[in-house]
Amino acid sequence: MLDSLIDAESARPLLSESPLYAEYFQGLRQRRIIVRMCTGCEIVQWPPREICGVCQNSRFVPADVPTEGETYTYSVMYRAFHPAFKDAVPYGVVVVEPAPGVRIIGRYVGPDPDSLECGQRMTAVFDDLGIDSGSIAWRRIDE
C-alpha cells in the first residue's frame, strides 16, 4: 500500500490531492496561496471544509492570501519520519499565518533550524516536490 504512495525517482512520499484541496494545489503550481472564502460571511476558510465554520454556508470562492506571514509555531526534527529524509535532519517545519485565521504548514528552508522562533517573518518558497502538484516551504525574510 505505501509503495503506491512513493515516487520511484525520489523515493519521497507523494502529496495526495482531495477535491477540497484542488484550488490550493493549483495555486501552488502557480506560485500562489489560494484558500476558500465563504460567499456568505466572506471569511477565508483554512483548512478547506464543506461548510463554513462561521455562518454554515456551503458556497465558497477561491481567495488569494499573501505569500508572507509570521511564524505561528514551529518544530525542529532530529529524526526523519521517512527514509527519504534521513540526510536532511535536523530540519524545521513551520506553521506560518499569512492572513488572520489561515495557518499554512511547510518545510523551513534556511540555515540553522534551531534558530527558529515564533513571530519571525517568513516568505513562501514554492517547489515541485509533488507529482503534478507542488509544495510550499518557508524561509525567513531576513535571509
Side-chain angles (χ1 to χ4, degrees), residues 69-85:
E70 282 193 2
T71 303
Y72 178 77
T73 191
Y74 66 92
S75 184
V76 178
M77 308 300 173
Y78 297 97
R79 183 174 170 191
F81 76 95
H82 184 276
F85 294 87

Side-chain angles (χ1 to χ4, degrees), residues 50-93:
E50 293 182 12
I51 305 270
C52 175
V54 176
C55 73
Q56 315 311 297
N57 185 21
S58 62
R59 293 182 148 192
F60 299 90
V61 294
D64 280 80
V65 295
T67 57
E68 294 182 356
E70 282 193 2
T71 303
Y72 178 77
T73 191
Y74 66 92
S75 184
V76 178
M77 308 300 173
Y78 297 97
R79 183 174 170 191
F81 76 95
H82 184 276
F85 294 87
K86 69 180 179 184
D87 295 331
V89 292
Y91 62 90
V93 176

Side-chain angles (χ1 to χ4, degrees), residues 97-136:
E97 189 170 46
V102 176
R103 296 180 183 137
I104 308 286
I105 190 169
R107 294 170 295 108
Y108 167 68
V109 289
D112 192 15
D114 287 318
S115 68
L116 287 168
E117 296 178 5
C118 292
Q120 290 174 318
R121 297 285 303 158
M122 296 281 181
T123 188
V125 176
F126 300 95
D127 57 38
D128 299 317
L129 290 181
I131 304 296
D132 293 327
S133 75
S135 68
I136 193 168

